[in-house]
Amino acid sequence: MIRIELDEPTLARTRIATSPLWEAKCSLYLLDRYPDEAPWPYTGWARHARRVLTELPEAAPAKLYAQTGPWYPDFLGPVPPTASPTIEEELAALRATPAEVIAEQIPRYHRPDDLPDWLRPFVTDRQAALDRLADGIQAYWDAAIAPWWPAMRAALDEEVLHRARALAAHGPDALLADLHERVRWDKPVLTLVKPSEWRFAAVDQRLLLIPLIFSRGALTHSTDHPEVIAVSYQARGAVLLADRPAADAATERTGTDRLAVLVGRGRAQVLRALARPATTAGLAAILGLAPSTVSEHLAALLAAGVVHRRRVGRRVLYGLEPAGLALVTLIGADPAAASA
C-alpha cells in the first residue's frame, strides 16, 4: 500500500488535470504488465501498440519505462504543466528538465555512484538523453495512441467535468471517497492499493488528481515536486479502445445480456454508461458509437422516462431517472463495462 497523509491546506487545494504523457507511460506499463495478451478492452489496442514498438525504431526509447522498476525519479514523468496540456507541451517540459532537478531527485532512488544503465545518460549527457526519450515518446504516441486520442480526450473531459462538479458541490472529502476502488480515503490518509509499501506526508502542497484511460497499467503517483502531490486513477471510458462491444464480451463470458434483450444492445450500453451523467459527445467517446446513434438512443430513453437531461453551463448532461437506475440494477450490470 502507498499511504499519503494529506494536511488540510493540501486537501483544500485538490485539483484535477489530464496528462497525455502519463497516459503514454501507463500504456507502456500495461504492455509490460501483460506481455502475452492484455485484458479486454485493451486487447486489440495492445496488439497494435506492440507492433509499433517492434516495427518503429523511432519509438524504441519509450521502452525505458519498462526498465525503471516501480520506483524512479519523477522527472521522467513530470506533473502536467497545465490542467489540460497537449503531448507536445508535456514533452517540451520534459526536454527542459534542469540539471539541478535531476541531481536532486536521483539520490532519493539510487546511489549517484551506482546508477543503473538506463538512468546514467540523464546525468552524463542530460540533454541528449532527455531529447532521445521525448522523441521516442512522440513517435510512440503518434503511432500507438494518437488515432484514439480524440475519443480519449472526450471521455476524459467527461470525467473531469463529473469530478469537478462533485468537488465543487461536496468538497474534496466526498470526491476522494468515491474516486476508485483502488484509491481509499480514510482522512487524513489517501491509500493507493499497490503491492509496494511506502508512506509520504504532504504538507502545505497541492493534491493533483489525474484520470487515465490506461491506469489499468499502473496506479501511479508523483511525490518529488516541491509543491504538488499527483495521483492517477482509472477513468471511465477505456471501452473506447475495444475492438468489439462490451455486450459481446460480456455475453461470451456470462451467456445472455438480459438488459440488451429487453431494450436493445445500444440502449443497454447507454443506460449503463449513464451511471454517471454525461453529454452526447462523451457517451459517443466512451461507447465507441457515432454521436447520431447515441442521440437516437437518448431520444428513445427520454421518451420512455428512464433518463433525464439537465443543462450545466453550455453543456447538456444526461443521467438516469429512478426507473432507469432500477432497470440497470435489477436486470443486472454488465461485468465487462463495470471492469472497464
Side-chain angles (χ1 to χ4, degrees):
M1 303 289 187
I2 307 298
R3 296 174 174 86
I4 306 174
E5 185 173 343
L6 306 174
D7 69 354
E8 283 296 334
T10 302
L11 185 62
R13 297 180 188 129
T14 299
R15 297 294 183 268
I16 308 167
T18 56
S19 173
L21 178 55
W22 282 43
E23 289 283 8
K25 70 175 186 176
C26 280
S27 75
L28 289 158
Y29 297 151
L30 186 141
L31 296 175
D32 185 59
R33 182 180 178 187
Y34 300 100
D36 296 323
E37 183 167 271
W40 188 93
Y42 304 97
T43 311
W45 171 85
R47 293 192 191 109
H48 169 77
R50 287 196 180 94
R51 287 196 298 271
V52 169
L53 291 174
T54 300
E55 300 171 5
L56 187 65
E58 295 86 348
K63 297 178 184 178
L64 175 140
Y65 292 103
Q67 305 173 44
T68 62
W71 302 102
Y72 59 86
D74 286 350
F75 75 83
L76 294 173
V79 171
T82 63
S84 56
T86 65
I87 186 65
E88 290 78 15
E89 289 169 338
E90 289 197 279
L91 292 179
L94 176 64
R95 295 178 193 274
T97 304
E100 54 267 29
V101 169
I102 296 176
E104 177 187 357
Q105 291 184 7
I106 282 180
R108 301 174 187 175
Y109 303 87
H110 299 279
R111 287 173 45 194
D113 61 348
D114 187 26
L115 297 179
D117 291 341
W118 61 265
L119 184 57
R120 188 174 297 109
F122 293 96
V123 175
T124 59
D125 196 355
R126 175 184 62 90
Q127 195 59 61
L130 290 169
D131 288 340
R132 183 164 54 251
L133 177 59
D135 289 344
I137 295 171
Q138 184 72 69
Y140 169 74
W141 173 274
D142 290 343
I145 299 180
W148 284 269
W149 183 242
M152 289 173 63
R153 172 79 264 181
L156 290 168
D157 284 346
E158 292 297 310
E159 176 72 21
V160 170
L161 175 63
H162 169 71
R163 298 298 181 180
R165 291 178 68 229
L167 179 62
H170 306 293
D173 285 300
L175 173 64
L176 295 178
D178 186 40
L179 202 60
H180 191 265
E181 61 184 10
R182 293 175 60 206
V183 181
R184 301 172 183 170
W185 176 236
D186 186 11
K187 193 173 184 178
V189 177
L190 185 68
T191 299
L192 312 183
V193 180
K194 294 169 64 78
S196 307
E197 287 289 338
W198 208 263
R199 191 178 188 100
F200 304 94
V203 179
D204 198 22
Q205 293 181 285
R206 176 163 53 94
L207 175 62
L208 186 65
L209 302 175
I210 303 177
L212 299 176
I213 298 296
F214 285 109
S215 192
R216 181 77 174 264
L219 190 64
T220 59
H221 62 284
S222 172
T223 57
D224 288 343
H225 195 287
E227 299 174 0
V228 179
I229 295 288
V231 173
S232 74
Y233 69 93
Q234 179 66 49
R236 191 179 60 149
V239 67
L240 65 87
L241 298 170
D243 52 3
R244 55 181 173 158
D248 288 351
T251 300
E252 182 178 292
R253 291 193 296 271
T254 65
T256 302
D257 183 346
R258 296 186 300 163
L259 186 58
V261 170
L262 184 65
V263 300
R265 177 182 296 175
R267 291 172 192 173
Q269 288 180 285
V270 171
L271 280 171
R272 289 188 176 109
L274 286 176
R276 292 178 184 169
T279 65
T280 301
L283 287 169
I286 289 167
L287 299 175
L289 300 174
S292 59
T293 301
V294 172
S295 294
E296 181 181 340
H297 290 320
L298 286 171
L301 295 170
L302 279 166
V306 294
V307 306
H308 61 254
R309 54 182 288 164
R310 302 281 188 273
R311 181 169 291 279
V312 180
R314 292 181 295 175
R315 298 189 182 206
V316 175
L317 291 177
Y318 293 85
L320 292 178
E321 288 286 345
L325 181 60
L327 271 176
V328 173
T329 303
L330 296 177
I331 299 300
D334 178 355
S339 67

